Amino acid sequence: MDTFQLKIISSDRVFFDGRAKKLIIPAPDGQKGILPHHENMVIAVEIGELHLCDVEDKWITASVSKGFVEIMNNRVSVLVNTAESPEEIDVRRATEAKERAEEQLRQKQSMQEYQMSKASLARAMARLRTSKEKDWRI
């Protein structure tokens, strides 16, 4: 059974530290899959959902924010600002953040404010998607 060492670190804690069989991350150009003995590289992580398969074939899903992944010698390090499991997401708060961001996007804003509102909306949507999914592979 081929596995790799995986560590997912957010700004406030270590989300996961152990062996994994597969990792799927949201990247700027779509989802990227990482398997054991992957080529060494660094990949940007976008706001979205991260999926990992542990050594017991259990899939773990997390809503993540921007960051990056470093793959080196069958060790994968994921560094993101936030990583939340579906159980940790406050759906009411995420819904309110989504509505606030949508309202801000309807207002006339500077380019910087517009980009910040888009990022807020993307984070809220990712959190809501993660909180509602039962089995993302279906």
Side-chain angles (χ1 to χ4, degrees):
M1 166 175 55
D2 272 348
T3 61
F4 57 91
Q5 182 63 37
L6 173 62
K7 193 167 194 174
I8 301 172
I9 304 167
S10 67
S11 61
D12 60 344
R13 67 185 170 136
V14 175
F15 180 81
F16 182 87
D17 188 5
R19 307 293 296 174
K21 290 182 176 180
K22 300 172 189 167
L23 175 66
I24 301 170
I25 59 161
D29 56 346
Q31 292 187 329
K32 298 285 186 199
I34 299 167
L35 296 171
H37 310 290
H38 195 285
E39 179 181 17
N40 294 345
M41 63 176 50
V42 175
I43 305 169
V45 175
E46 284 295 312
I47 296 167
E49 290 180 308
L50 172 146
H51 307 282
L52 73 94
C53 181
D54 66 12
V55 292
E56 298 169 356
D57 287 325
K58 179 181 163 205
W59 283 93
I60 299 170
T61 299
S63 176
V64 294
S65 61
K66 290 189 175 216
F68 69 92
V69 174
E70 178 189 52
I71 306 164
M72 185 78 62
N73 300 327
N74 212 34
R75 292 182 172 277
V76 179
S77 300
V78 180
L79 298 159
V80 291
N81 287 328
T82 60
E84 297 175 286
S85 65
E87 301 81 32
E88 298 171 322
I89 295 172
D90 182 344
V91 176
R92 182 186 57 77
R93 202 171 123 223
T95 303
E96 290 172 357
K98 175 184 172 273
E99 291 167 356
R100 241 187 342 271
E102 288 173 336
E103 179 59 34
Q104 288 171 343
L105 285 171
R106 286 191 280 270
Q107 307 299 320
K108 187 172 178 104
Q109 304 178 59
S110 70
M111 189 54 88
Q112 181 180 8
E113 291 169 330
Y114 174 76
Q115 294 299 329
M116 289 177 64
S117 295
K118 272 182 49 177
S120 295
L121 180 59
R123 279 192 304 274
M125 295 294 291
R127 293 178 78 221
L128 288 169
R129 237 185 346 269
T130 301
S131 71
K132 292 179 181 170
E133 287 189 9
K134 301 294 183 233
D135 188 353
W136 67 275
R137 294 169 291 157
I138 295 176

